[in-house]
């Protein structure tokens, strides 16, 4: 019968120690003898020679191979504009059976989940916004100075926002509060009405081409993010900028003392130092953009045009990705097909959080170069909606995202506070007042707003105004009454969300004519792309775009009386125009300035006093050949 298993028998399967002691060698010999006896032996004297096992020769464990490449995911959006609630918009996407299908998109709670879903696909990721995150926002954000949007995006855990022009709507001091937090009052609205300890943004603001008087940038010019995998490390650098034309499209007082430098020159000057800091990929995040003639994710990028092109054509070829915005368009472009000398990947994610751009880079860890890059615009499908008589249902042809409960709870908190104010009826209209431009470039709603502002400032103590002008870009939504004709405060706030105040100045007839000439010939205001001011009732004039510059305006009349160049008039405008906004610099020449009410308050008072109000005609401007 064989011997029972020796208690050391099972230990023979373990790895032999690298430096066995003499004692262990002796034990091994005894065990060997015992095992031989159990199995029987031909050796008559049972002599078992002692043979020490061979010395351990196992080499030290090899270090894991460093990967030759590393994949990095970038997630981008732009022009959120405080759209915390779903904006009731859809994306026309290719349908499986041909044609297109409308996909309901947007809503910050769904956007947060979509970002998290993309992050989960690659832990080496960065999330960036290409500007206009705040400003020109719906009421649930604008009523609270966009604090609600900053807090919602904080929950999304993004990395950087390249400030856009609308971030400056309430001035640079208020913009600094958005980043740094606190409850300093920099506007007519009260800060911190919901969160008494507003924290500011937990992500970086970038503003490489926004320079203060001391030569420093308003916010950091660049950001860097480092990624590691199996012993390899790569770095991705981000250059954030807004368009250099920002001073022409925001309240000049809000950017006083700031200079907006050329975008391409700024980026090119930063690249050597970013390379010196170890950047393996360069990403430009810029609030400027273009348009295409194809769908939201069509990679052909057909018909690409716009102000982004001259910037791309000047950019250093070391740039790998250009994430853009401003035009509210969506595209994914291999710009190398347009200009082979500039092989950038150009992207934009539309507007209002309806899309995210999913960008994937492959970086060679030895050459420190990007070897592959691709992108897709992903629809943020969250919930169905009804707008007017149209209902857009969810579709199973594209992914849906659940609500992020933290963001949803935050939005509900702000909506609860805003609710009574939003639903308050301010008056009634007999018909919808639209912002659609007529042949003369007037709009019904623009004229109505001008009338409201003239009424608010015509009393002697309010400025004794005779004429009012409204800028078309400040009219942000149509004013459509309910079935009973009623309109709410929430609706009029959506029409004028900027919180501008009214200003009255004395201007001569010649100055008024000169400011109207600037509609066609001042900065970005051109004959091809004019900005036609909306005039109040009683003021009429004519224009001819075929006439020479400086001679396009004629027949100025106030209440049926021809206006004289040398006569002084009291003119109302909002605080944006009052300091030369939208390139109307002649407004700066006005004198005897008197400040007035908030623009939305003037509109509310006018509708209330004239209800049911019949929207005005668009017959104040005559277009001549």
């Amino acid at each position: 019968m064989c011997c029972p298993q020796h208690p050391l028998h099972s230990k023979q399967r373990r790895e032999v120690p690298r430096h066995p002691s003499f004692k262990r060698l002796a034990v091994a010999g005894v065990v060997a003898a015992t095992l031989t006896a159990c199995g029987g032996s031909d050796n008559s004297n049972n002599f078992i020679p002692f043979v020490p096992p061979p010395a351990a020769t196992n080499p030290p464990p090899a270090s894991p191979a460093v990967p030759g490449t590393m994949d990095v995911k970038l997630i981008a959006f732009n022009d959120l504009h405080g759209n915390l609630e779903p904006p009731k918009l859809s994306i026309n996407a290719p349908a499986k059976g041909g044609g297109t299908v409308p996909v309901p998109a947007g809503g910050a709670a769904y956007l947060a989940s979509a970002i998290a879903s993309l992050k989960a696909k690659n832990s080496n990721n960065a999330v960036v916004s290409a500007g206009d995150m705040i400003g020109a926002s719906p009421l649930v954000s604008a009523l609270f100075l966009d604090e609600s949007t900053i807090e919602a995006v904080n929950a999304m855990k993004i990395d950087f926002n390249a400030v856009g022009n609308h971030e400056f709507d309430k001035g640079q001091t208020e913009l600094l509060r958005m980043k740094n937090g606190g409850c300093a009052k920099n506007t007519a609205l009260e800060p911190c009405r919901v969160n008494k300890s507003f924290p500011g943004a937990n992500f970086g603001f970038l503003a490489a081409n926004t320079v203060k008087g001391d030569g420093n940038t308003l916010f950091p010019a660049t950001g860097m993010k480092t990624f590691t995998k199996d012993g390899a490390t790569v770095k991705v650098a981000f250059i954030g900028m807004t368009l250099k034309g920002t001073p022409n499209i925001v309240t000049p007082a809000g950017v006083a003392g700031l200079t907006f430098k050329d975008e391409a020159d700024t980026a090119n000057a930063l690249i050597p130092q970013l390379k010196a800091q170890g950047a393996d990929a360069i990403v430009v995040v810029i609030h400027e953009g273009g348009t295409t003639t194809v769908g939201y994710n069509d990679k052909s990028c057909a018909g690409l045009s716009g102000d982004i092109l001259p910037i791309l054509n000047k950019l250093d070829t070391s740039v790998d990705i250009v994430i853009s915005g401003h035009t509210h368009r969506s595209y994914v472009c291999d710009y190398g097909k347009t200009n082979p000398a500039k092989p950038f990947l150009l992207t934009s994610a539309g507007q209002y959080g309806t899309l995210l751009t999913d960008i994937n880079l492959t970086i060679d860890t030895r050459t420190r170069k990007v070897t592959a890059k691709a992108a897709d615009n992903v629809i943020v499908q969250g919930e169905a909606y009804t707008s007017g008589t149209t209902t857009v249902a969810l579709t199973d042809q594209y992914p849906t995202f659940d609500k992020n409960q933290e963001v949803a709870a935050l939005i509900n908190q702000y909506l609860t506070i805003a609710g009574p104010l939003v639903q308050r009826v301010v008056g009634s209209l007999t018909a919808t007042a639209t912002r659609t431009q007529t042949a003369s470039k007037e709009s019904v709603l623009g004229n109505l707003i001008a009338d409201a502002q003239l009424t608010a400032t015509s009393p002697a103590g309010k400025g004794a105004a005779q004429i009012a002008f409204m800028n078309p870009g400040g009219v942000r939504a149509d004013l459509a009454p309910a079935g009973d004709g009623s309109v709410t405060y929430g609706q009029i706030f959506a029409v004028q969300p900027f919180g501008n105040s009214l200003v009255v100045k004395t201007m001569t007839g010649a100055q008024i004519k000169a400011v109207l000439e600037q509609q066609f010939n001042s900065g970005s205001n051109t004959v091809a792309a004019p900005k036609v001011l909306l005039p109040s009732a009683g003021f009429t004039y004519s224009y001819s775009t075929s006439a020479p510059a400086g001679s396009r305006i004629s027949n100025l009349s106030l209440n049926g009386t021809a206006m004289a160049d040398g006569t002084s008039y009291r003119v109302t405008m909002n605080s944006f125009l009052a300091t030369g906004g939208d390139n109307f610099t002649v407004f700066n020449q006005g004198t005897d300035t008197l400040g007035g009410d908030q623009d939305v308050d003037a509109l509310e008072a006018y509708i209330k006093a004239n209800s049911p109000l019949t929207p005005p005609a668009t017959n104040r401007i005559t277009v001549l050949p």
Side-chain angles (χ1 to χ4, degrees):
M1 182 176 74
C2 187
C3 304
Q5 182 175 350
H6 192 280
L8 292 179
H9 188 73
S10 63
K11 293 183 181 180
Q12 286 179 311
R13 297 174 182 169
R14 297 181 182 176
E15 183 179 351
V16 178
R18 294 182 184 178
H19 302 290
S21 66
F22 179 80
K23 181 178 180 180
R24 289 179 178 175
L25 293 176
V27 170
V30 172
V31 172
T34 303
L35 294 176
T36 303
C38 285
S41 173
D42 292 335
N43 192 322
S44 58
N45 59 8
N46 286 333
F47 174 74
I48 302 174
F50 176 75
V51 180
T57 58
N58 288 359
S63 300
V66 175
T69 62
M70 190 184 303
D71 293 331
V72 174
K73 182 180 291 292
L74 308 180
I75 305 163
F77 62 95
N78 52 274
D79 296 279
L80 180 61
H81 284 288
N83 278 264
L84 300 182
E85 296 181 277
K88 294 189 175 182
L89 295 174
S90 60
I91 304 296
N92 285 323
K96 291 180 180 178
T100 61
V101 58
V103 184
Y110 302 111
L111 179 66
S113 291
I115 289 173
S117 174
L118 290 176
K119 281 185 175 183
K121 295 180 179 181
N122 187 347
S123 59
N124 287 331
N125 61 68
V127 187
V128 298
S129 160
D132 280 8
M133 177 184 292
I134 58 176
S137 308
L139 187 143
V140 71
S141 186
L143 188 61
F144 303 104
L145 293 168
D146 289 314
E147 293 168 357
S148 50
T149 294
I150 294 296
E151 291 190 69
V153 178
N154 280 349
M156 297 176 195
K157 298 179 174 59
I158 79 165
D159 295 284
F160 303 110
N161 174 52
V163 297
N165 55 284
H166 277 288
E167 267 88 350
F168 291 93
D169 280 346
K170 296 178 178 66
Q172 57 187 292
T173 304
E174 178 67 0
L175 178 54
L176 288 166
R177 187 180 76 88
M178 290 293 99
K179 176 64 184 81
N180 300 324
C183 297
K185 185 177 180 182
N186 303 312
T187 74
L189 293 176
E190 288 295 328
C192 301
R193 294 173 64 184
V194 176
N195 187 345
K196 303 303 180 184
S197 301
F198 174 61
N202 63 11
F203 47 91
F205 279 19
L206 302 180
N209 64 329
T210 306
V211 180
K212 299 185 293 183
D214 62 5
N216 295 315
T217 54
L218 183 66
F219 294 107
T222 64
M224 186 89 76
K225 197 163 184 183
T226 301
F227 304 99
T228 59
K229 179 183 178 182
D230 298 336
T233 298
V234 298
K235 293 183 177 182
V236 178
F238 300 88
I239 302 171
M241 294 181 287
T242 189
L243 65 159
K244 67 180 178 182
T246 293
N248 296 326
I249 54 176
V250 303
T251 302
V255 294
L258 298 177
T259 302
F260 292 80
K261 302 290 189 180
D262 182 85
E263 304 96 335
D265 290 346
T266 298
N268 293 345
L270 290 166
I271 288 171
Q273 65 190 61
L274 291 172
K275 290 289 188 181
Q277 294 168 19
D280 303 305
I282 304 289
V283 180
V284 170
V285 188
I286 181 171
H287 192 70
E288 180 60 283
T291 62
T292 66
T293 56
V294 289
Y296 76 100
N297 200 36
D298 187 309
K299 304 305 194 312
S300 72
C301 209
L304 178 64
S305 62
D307 291 336
I308 194 71
L309 269 66
I311 299 170
L312 296 174
N313 291 333
K314 286 176 61 179
L315 273 181
D316 191 300
T317 54
S318 297
V319 173
D320 297 290
I321 309 288
V322 178
I323 297 170
S324 64
H326 188 53
T327 57
H328 293 211
R329 301 300 184 93
S330 50
Y331 43 78
V332 175
C333 300
D334 176 359
Y335 192 65
K337 294 178 180 177
T338 300
N339 182 349
K342 306 291 183 177
F344 312 128
L345 181 60
L346 171 69
T347 71
S348 179
Q351 61 180 350
Y352 304 161
T354 55
L355 295 164
L356 281 172
T357 308
D358 177 18
I359 304 168
N360 295 286
L361 306 180
T362 299
I363 301 174
D364 189 304
T365 61
R366 292 172 287 258
T367 64
R368 324 304 298 185
K369 299 286 188 182
V370 174
T371 57
K373 48 195 174 185
D376 283 289
N377 276 327
V378 177
I379 302 173
V380 181
Q381 181 176 205
E383 64 184 52
Y385 70 87
T386 298
S387 179
T389 59
T390 302
T391 296
V392 179
L394 293 173
T395 173
D396 60 4
Q397 297 190 41
Y398 288 86
T400 57
F401 299 95
D402 295 328
K403 275 187 176 181
N404 176 289
Q405 293 305 311
E406 179 185 357
V407 174
L410 174 76
I411 296 169
N412 285 335
Q413 182 184 17
Y414 278 92
L415 283 171
T416 298
I417 304 270
L421 185 57
V422 172
Q423 300 302 326
R424 180 169 56 84
V425 173
V426 299
S428 62
L429 297 182
T430 62
T432 296
T434 75
R435 54 180 178 157
T436 304
Q437 289 187 335
T438 63
S440 65
K441 304 293 185 184
E442 296 174 75
S443 73
V444 171
L445 186 50
N447 286 4
L448 191 158
I449 292 170
D451 291 347
Q453 295 183 356
L454 177 62
T455 299
T457 54
S458 59
K462 293 283 191 175
Q466 300 164 277
I467 304 168
F469 291 113
M470 178 60 192
N471 57 305
V475 186
R476 304 301 290 192
D478 293 343
L479 190 55
D484 62 358
S486 62
V487 293
T488 65
Y489 185 83
Q491 288 178 287
I492 65 170
F493 198 100
V495 169
Q496 294 190 279
F498 296 108
N500 286 321
S501 59
L502 303 184
V503 177
V504 184
K505 295 185 178 187
T506 297
M507 301 181 70
T508 65
Q511 289 172 330
I512 294 171
K513 183 178 180 181
V515 83
L516 294 175
E517 289 282 353
Q518 289 189 307
Q519 296 174 132
F520 310 99
N521 186 29
S522 181
S524 58
N525 303 349
T526 64
V527 170
K531 285 191 178 73
V532 174
L533 297 170
L534 295 318
S536 56
F539 174 75
T540 59
Y541 74 96
S542 304
Y543 71 76
S544 170
T545 55
S546 64
S551 303
R552 297 188 174 109
I553 303 300
S554 60
N555 303 324
L556 278 70
S557 177
L558 181 60
N559 299 321
T561 301
M563 296 172 62
D565 286 352
T567 301
S568 293
Y569 304 89
R570 293 290 282 168
V571 182
T572 298
M573 65 226 64
N574 59 40
S575 51
F576 168 72
L577 289 174
T579 50
D582 272 348
N583 307 298
F584 292 106
T585 57
V586 175
F587 278 128
N588 286 318
Q589 299 174 15
T591 59
D592 300 323
T593 301
L594 180 66
D597 300 330
Q598 294 291 294
D599 53 5
V600 70
D601 294 340
L603 182 57
E604 177 184 3
Y606 184 72
I607 293 173
K608 181 179 180 180
N610 294 281
S611 292
L613 175 66
T614 299
T618 51
N619 58 358
R620 301 168 187 181
I621 302 173
T622 300
V623 181
L624 302 175

